[in-house]
Amino acid sequence: MAYDNSPAIEVILLFGLPGSGKGTWGKILGMMPGFYHLSTGDMFRMLDTESELGERVIQIMSAGELVPDDIVFDLMRRNLRHAEDIGRFNRARDRLVLDGFPRTPRQAEALMEIATIKCVLLLDCDNRELLINRLRRRAVLENRADDASEAVLRRRFEIYDREISTALAKVASSLIERIDVSRQPVRILCTLSQALDKRLG
Ligand code: AMP
């Protein structure tokens, strides 16, 4: 994803099954000074659905499949450049919180070229039925095409199981912090804060 030749960006990775709260916790972290949150899923959901690219991406997402790497790289590059142009993100000052990236070995390799990974927050939940129930609620509340059918959700879980192992295999296992997201939100917040305090100092 060659972005440019500036120093490595410090990155926090957020991994988790659909419904594990990646987006929520990513947004909360992104509100803190010194952090910039980039969700690839949100980036795709914000595309103009009338455009050729938007239509193509929505179709892929609605089937629960992964968007091709080149599209992901191109949109991420544009998002980061824009965030830098408007002063929202400064790589020398801010940590980049990546939510939903990397999801393929090629994405993981591209990330390693431009970033130093400080920490991997793995939002973990043994109870998949709990997640499915959360996602059913979200499909209604947020009108999300990618949450719409149970078959698509199960397909997304299947892809996640595959993607997590390939992406995490590229990251040092010592960087991984497992966070149990079946607990109360306040407890999750405490664990996340402790993990970041330990990793970022
Ligand atoms: P998320 O909001 O992270 O669950 O992502 C929603 C959907 O966006 C996924 O099911 C994929 O279709 C697509 N997507 C998000 N991030 C990526 C990525 N890094 N690579 C390919 N597809 C992605």
Side-chain angles (χ1 to χ4, degrees):
M1 188 182 54
Y3 173 43
D4 64 26
N5 295 323
S6 310
I9 302 173
E10 292 196 348
V11 169
I12 295 159
L13 298 182
L14 262 176
F15 277 106
L17 278 162
S20 63
K22 268 182 308 123
T24 302
W25 294 111
K27 283 189 191 94
I28 290 172
L29 294 181
M31 276 190 256
M32 295 197 298
F35 293 82
Y36 177 70
H37 171 230
L38 170 54
S39 153
T40 42
D42 284 350
M43 182 177 83
F44 297 134
R45 282 183 285 274
M46 279 180 329
L47 287 173
D48 174 6
T49 52
E50 305 282 301
S51 67
E52 203 180 309
L53 177 65
E55 204 181 322
R56 182 170 168 216
V57 166
I58 288 294
Q59 255 178 22
I60 297 171
M61 288 172 79
S62 305
E65 302 296 331
L66 292 180
V67 175
D69 287 340
D70 290 329
I71 297 181
V72 181
F73 294 151
D74 184 43
L75 290 177
M76 283 182 80
R77 241 183 256 123
R78 283 200 242 168
N79 179 302
L80 289 173
R81 280 213 191 99
H82 176 68
E84 287 198 305
D85 286 347
I86 61 170
R88 176 62 193 83
F89 173 59
N90 176 329
R91 71 181 68 202
R93 175 192 70 196
D94 301 321
R95 264 80 181 239
L96 177 62
V97 180
L98 282 180
D99 151 1
F101 183 94
R103 268 173 149 112
T104 65
R106 197 171 149 223
Q107 292 179 12
E109 281 152 21
L111 180 66
M112 303 299 199
E113 282 171 22
I114 61 156
T116 305
I117 298 169
K118 300 295 287 179
C119 174
V120 180
L121 299 170
L122 185 57
L123 305 186
D124 213 13
C125 182
D126 289 338
N127 184 351
R128 295 197 170 196
E129 295 313 308
L130 178 92
L131 299 181
I132 299 258
N133 285 336
R134 277 190 195 168
L135 289 164
R136 279 207 199 97
R137 270 201 308 275
R138 184 169 81 180
V140 176
L141 291 173
E142 296 179 21
N143 190 23
R144 276 183 53 163
D146 51 339
D147 290 342
S149 91
E150 185 148 341
V152 170
L153 288 179
R154 303 229 178 248
R155 174 77 185 134
R156 289 173 68 201
F157 280 21
E158 215 177 280
I159 290 180
Y160 175 84
D161 286 334
R162 202 179 61 215
E163 93 201 9
I164 187 90
S165 45
T166 53
L168 285 184
K170 306 260 172 203
V171 175
S173 55
S174 59
L175 294 175
I176 299 173
E177 295 282 349
R178 237 167 241 282
I179 317 279
D180 177 3
V181 291
S182 62
R183 295 179 311 163
Q184 290 302 312
V186 171
R187 292 240 57 80
I188 302 174
L189 182 60
C190 286
T191 324
L192 274 174
S193 311
Q194 280 163 2
L196 289 177
D197 188 37
K198 180 171 98 188
R199 297 291 174 172
L200 307 179

